[in-house]
Amino acid sequence: EEGIQTSPTSDPGIESEMSTSTPLESKTGYLDELHRQLCNKALEQDKNAPLREMRALKDLSSVNQTVNQSRRRMGTAPNRSVSNALRKINVSNNRISSIERLGNCIPILKKLDDVEVLNFNHNQLRHIPETFGKYLKSVTNLDLSYNKLTAFPACVLNMPLQAFNLSDNEISISAPSVVDTSNSDAPFCPSLKSLDLSSNAFKCIPLWLKSACPNLENLNFCNNDLQILPDDNFGFEELKTLNLSQNQITTIPEPFFQGMNSLQNLDISFNSLINISKSCHQYLPNLKILELSNNRLSVEQVDIILQLPSLSRLYLANNKLAGTFPSFSNFQSRSLVELN
């Protein structure tokens, strides 16, 4: 293909195979096929070779190197090897343990400032360099799930993220932490809509989360070690889905739901919940789905729940309900379609 430069170290067998294969209709198709063959050929000899072989693909817009079991420490590629057209990087399902060298290589990071999707899930990362948030200025979708991170990488909140998956790591916060929001370097990501922190070891919700991510719509804290919830206004005004299931929560403080007028789906199942905020019906006017199964709620708490005006689905299985169930006439919602 005219205008496509191949690496001088490329295997001539690949070029021969390309020339005799079915003609590709576009430059993009040629690049995809060449990328696939380079990776397959290199993997036969050196599991780390694909990253070196791809240096000639100057117009590459997407890199997918999943399930290669690469042990490479990212960031050793020379500056000239990085394509200016790169938009997606997928290096999931490998054995990458460090990206420190990439984080310290400013020329390469500047070349990556148009990358929009970055996927590092199912690796062995333990730390994210501070420089990531400074130079990766276009990343909207970041996946760091299934790694070995032990601290929340707040530096990435300086990216224009819309979706951030940090699930299945080893992050532990045992006491509420406060960030000085007057500091210009404080994490702030108003574009973030979805944050997945499930399957970590959080014992509490970081207090700075509201100021750092004020426009969250989906927040997932499922399967952590949460024992207490903030006793002040948690107040994500745009939040639509909140998952607090599979924790150790026993009570919901009265002010917790203040400001959550947009919340539609709330899951607090599989906790040790004894009581719920008495004013929840005032703060949750648009809540449609409430999952409270596998807790320790009594019939008295059900009376409070029935005051929710927009509830359509309510799940109360496996609680401590005893005595007389409240009359259906107590239901404030006229749209209830499922009660378990």
Side-chain angles (χ1 to χ4, degrees):
E1 286 283 333
E2 183 177 321
I4 301 181
Q5 183 181 7
T6 56
S7 169
T9 60
S10 297
D11 192 320
I14 293 177
E15 295 181 2
S16 174
E17 183 179 345
M18 288 295 296
S19 63
T20 59
S21 61
T22 302
L24 294 169
E25 297 180 355
S26 67
K27 184 178 179 179
T28 301
Y30 179 89
L31 285 170
D32 290 341
E33 180 64 13
L34 181 59
H35 172 211
R36 183 188 68 80
Q37 293 192 28
L38 282 170
C39 286
N40 289 342
K41 179 68 68 173
L43 278 170
E44 295 174 1
Q45 304 166 0
D46 180 356
K47 290 184 181 296
N48 293 325
L51 292 175
R52 294 193 295 273
E53 294 290 346
M54 287 188 291
R55 69 182 59 178
L57 303 180
K58 300 300 183 183
D59 296 324
L60 194 67
S61 62
S62 177
V63 174
N64 188 337
Q65 197 186 342
T66 61
V67 202
N68 283 332
Q69 300 301 306
S70 174
R71 298 175 184 270
R72 185 183 185 85
R73 290 180 178 269
M74 300 293 290
T76 59
N79 179 29
R80 65 180 180 276
S81 72
V82 181
S83 167
N84 287 317
L86 202 58
R87 296 292 183 272
K88 299 179 181 179
I89 299 178
N90 185 349
V91 287
S92 60
N93 289 284
N94 283 286
R95 300 178 186 176
I96 299 169
S97 60
S98 173
I99 51 176
E100 294 296 328
R101 296 173 70 177
L102 178 57
N104 293 330
C105 190
I106 306 306
I108 289 184
L109 286 175
K110 287 183 176 180
K111 284 276 192 174
L112 298 177
D113 61 4
D114 288 328
V115 171
E116 298 171 355
V117 178
L118 192 55
N119 188 347
F120 275 95
N121 73 43
H122 287 87
N123 277 283
Q124 300 175 13
L125 295 176
R126 297 181 181 275
H127 177 69
I128 303 300
E130 291 290 328
T131 46
F132 252 54
K134 183 176 181 180
Y135 290 98
L136 295 175
K137 298 179 180 179
S138 299
V139 175
T140 58
N141 192 318
L142 178 61
D143 192 342
L144 298 175
S145 61
Y146 292 92
N147 277 280
K148 297 183 178 181
L149 299 173
T150 57
F152 189 102
C155 62
V156 306
L157 294 182
N158 292 318
M159 300 176 183
L161 294 176
Q162 295 179 16
F164 183 21
N165 190 346
L166 201 56
S167 64
D168 292 272
N169 276 278
E170 301 170 7
I171 301 171
S172 175
I173 295 180
S174 58
S177 54
V178 179
V179 171
D180 183 5
T181 55
S182 64
N183 185 346
S184 59
D185 293 328
F188 182 58
C189 192
S191 60
L192 189 63
K193 301 297 184 182
S194 179
L195 177 59
D196 190 345
L197 298 172
S198 61
S199 299
N200 278 281
F202 285 92
K203 295 186 181 300
C204 63
I205 297 176
L207 294 180
W208 52 264
L209 197 57
K210 178 185 174 183
S211 58
C213 313
N215 298 315
L216 276 179
E217 294 182 1
N218 302 289
L219 179 58
N220 190 349
F221 269 103
C222 171
N223 192 28
N224 275 274
D225 295 325
L226 294 178
Q227 299 174 8
I228 57 173
L229 297 176
D231 57 3
D232 59 355
N233 183 359
F234 191 49
F236 284 94
E237 296 180 358
E238 304 297 325
L239 200 63
K240 293 180 172 59
T241 301
L242 176 61
N243 191 339
L244 299 172
S245 64
Q246 299 182 58
N247 282 283
Q248 302 174 37
I249 301 168
T250 59
T251 185
I252 299 178
E254 193 67 27
F256 179 73
F257 291 125
Q258 286 184 19
M260 293 192 193
N261 293 336
S262 299
L263 194 64
Q264 299 178 12
N265 191 329
L266 175 61
D267 189 344
I268 323 180
S269 61
F270 291 91
N271 277 277
S272 299
L273 198 61
I274 298 174
N275 58 56
I276 193 168
S277 169
K278 295 180 180 179
S279 305
C280 64
H281 63 284
Q282 299 177 18
Y283 303 135
L284 302 173
N286 294 301
L287 189 66
K288 295 178 172 25
I289 301 174
L290 179 56
E291 172 61 88
L292 290 169
S293 60
N294 294 278
N295 277 285
R296 298 165 58 193
L297 293 171
S298 64
V299 169
E300 289 74 22
Q301 298 302 309
V302 176
D303 273 323
I304 297 173
I305 296 167
L306 297 184
Q307 303 304 309
L308 292 165
S310 301
L311 202 61
S312 62
R313 287 178 168 81
L314 175 60
Y315 303 97
L316 292 167
N318 296 312
N319 273 278
K320 300 295 182 181
L321 306 183
T324 303
F325 195 81
S327 169
F328 281 93
S329 62
N330 293 346
F331 278 78
Q332 294 298 310
S333 173
R334 293 296 177 261
S335 57
L336 191 71
V337 297
E338 184 175 358
L339 172 62
N340 184 342

